[in-house]
Amino acid sequence: MWQEERHQKIRAMLTSFGQVSIDRIVESFGVSRQTVRRDLIDMEQSGILRRIRGGAVPVDTEDMEFSVRITQRLHEKRALCVAALRLLKSHQTIFLDAGSTTTIMAEVLAGPTGLTDLTVVTNSLEAATRLAQVPNSQENGIRVQLLRGPVKRDPLETWGGATVADIYSYHADMALLSPLGIDAASGATYYQLHGAEIAEAMARQAAKITILADHAKIGVTSRKCVCPTGEIDYVVVDSKARERPGFAALESTVAELVVAEG
């Protein structure tokens, strides 16, 4: 099989499964592991994928533009965010980090939820904008607190030392976080170090930690662990997560795994 043909097929596998292992490519194409590693290096240098331990993931979760990311697996993200509502209670303070899934979580919170008197603390301007449009009324009052700090784009978010310091002035009931990947062995991991720093601070300052992860993030690991699975209270996934290789191990490791049906 020619290199160009292999690259096309690897891209197709990434689109279908969200992650591909070196072993799977070797088995599918009948080539050596050394050949596969060279292919993955070439494709990473071309900006097609990002190599992880034992395989590769698409360059889409933290490297694509936010306007593209928020449209990917939208149905699945919305379903799991609706399921996550069941974990929340009125009168709570909630941390929300920056990302496409947490922005959709903000949209869900802005709708009719049956929850009242929520305080949402976030570094995401995208999430804060959606939540700020909710009338601060007895029926669906939401107070939004944007964490201070310099603003970074794509997505629009505050970040850096000032943002992290501001997080430590709060004590939240729940941190809703959306990492690059969630894996039984590696925990919740981020690629961008500034995002990991913010998520880690939120996790430390919250009574409970909930990870929001669509199926493409299951079994995926990246360079910075925010919290191991033993420290996570809930992982909320969509129904397609059951088809992922890392699902069974994750289900047996976390305290509670919530699957959004439909």
Side-chain angles (χ1 to χ4, degrees), residues 93-149:
T93 296
I94 300 162
F95 280 133
L96 205 61
D97 70 350
S100 60
T101 304
T102 45
T103 298
I104 293 169
M105 187 73 224
E107 292 177 355
V108 170
L109 284 169
T113 64
L115 299 169
T116 61
D117 188 30
L118 290 179
T119 299
V120 180
V121 181
T122 183
N123 68 312
S124 168
L125 276 72
E126 306 282 355
T129 299
R130 287 158 173 79
L131 289 166
Q133 297 173 11
V134 179
N136 192 13
S137 65
Q138 183 65 32
E139 290 73 30
N140 56 1
I142 296 181
R143 287 180 294 276
V144 185
Q145 182 62 50
L146 182 66
L147 292 162
R148 64 190 178 90

Side-chain angles (χ1 to χ4, degrees), residues 4-260:
E4 184 177 350
E5 184 181 355
R6 286 199 308 273
H7 288 193
Q8 290 175 348
K9 291 185 178 296
I10 291 171
R11 293 184 71 167
M13 293 168 76
L14 288 169
T15 300
S16 298
F17 303 111
Q19 182 180 5
V20 65
S21 69
I22 291 174
D23 290 339
R24 185 166 191 163
I25 299 171
V26 168
E27 182 180 348
S28 298
F29 301 160
V31 295
S32 69
R33 293 177 66 86
Q34 186 176 5
T35 297
V36 173
R37 287 194 181 96
R38 285 198 298 266
D39 283 341
L40 297 184
I41 290 171
D42 290 344
M43 295 176 75
E44 183 176 51
Q45 290 174 346
S46 299
I48 297 169
L49 54 76
R50 180 165 59 248
R51 289 183 298 149
I52 59 172
R53 185 179 60 194
V57 294
V59 179
D60 67 356
T61 304
E62 294 192 18
D63 297 310
M64 275 190 179
E65 290 187 0
F66 179 79
S67 60
V68 175
R69 279 184 281 143
I70 200 167
T71 65
Q72 294 182 318
R73 301 179 293 280
L74 179 59
H75 175 78
E76 291 87 349
K77 290 175 181 177
R78 191 172 298 280
L80 70 89
C81 287
V82 170
L85 285 176
R86 299 197 297 270
L87 306 176
L88 304 178
K89 298 178 181 179
S90 297
H91 315 297
Q92 286 188 325
T93 296
I94 300 162
F95 280 133
L96 205 61
D97 70 350
S100 60
T101 304
T102 45
T103 298
I104 293 169
M105 187 73 224
E107 292 177 355
V108 170
L109 284 169
T113 64
L115 299 169
T116 61
D117 188 30
L118 290 179
T119 299
V120 180
V121 181
T122 183
N123 68 312
S124 168
L125 276 72
E126 306 282 355
T129 299
R130 287 158 173 79
L131 289 166
Q133 297 173 11
V134 179
N136 192 13
S137 65
Q138 183 65 32
E139 290 73 30
N140 56 1
I142 296 181
R143 287 180 294 276
V144 185
Q145 182 62 50
L146 182 66
L147 292 162
R148 64 190 178 90
V151 176
K152 169 183 182 301
R153 70 173 297 275
D154 206 32
L156 288 168
E157 59 181 309
T158 57
W159 70 294
T163 304
V164 172
D166 206 9
I167 292 170
Y168 282 105
S169 68
Y170 292 91
H171 292 280
D173 299 285
M174 182 81 78
L176 295 171
L177 308 175
S178 184
L180 175 71
I182 176 70
D183 176 73
S186 302
T189 54
Y190 285 66
Y191 180 73
Q192 299 290 354
L193 296 182
H194 76 271
E197 187 179 32
I198 287 167
E200 188 172 36
M202 288 180 173
R204 288 179 178 175
Q205 292 300 105
K208 292 185 180 296
I209 301 168
T210 295
I211 300 299
L212 307 175
D214 68 70
H215 62 275
K217 297 182 177 183
I218 307 303
V220 173
T221 62
S222 194
R223 59 180 177 172
K224 174 63 176 176
C225 176
V226 166
C227 49
T229 50
E231 297 179 5
I232 298 169
D233 296 281
Y234 307 99
V235 176
V236 188
V237 301
D238 62 274
S239 59
K240 292 181 181 178
R242 291 193 180 96
E243 304 167 12
R244 299 283 294 163
F247 178 82
L250 186 64
E251 187 176 31
S252 66
T253 305
V254 298
E256 185 171 347
L257 194 149
V258 179
V259 179

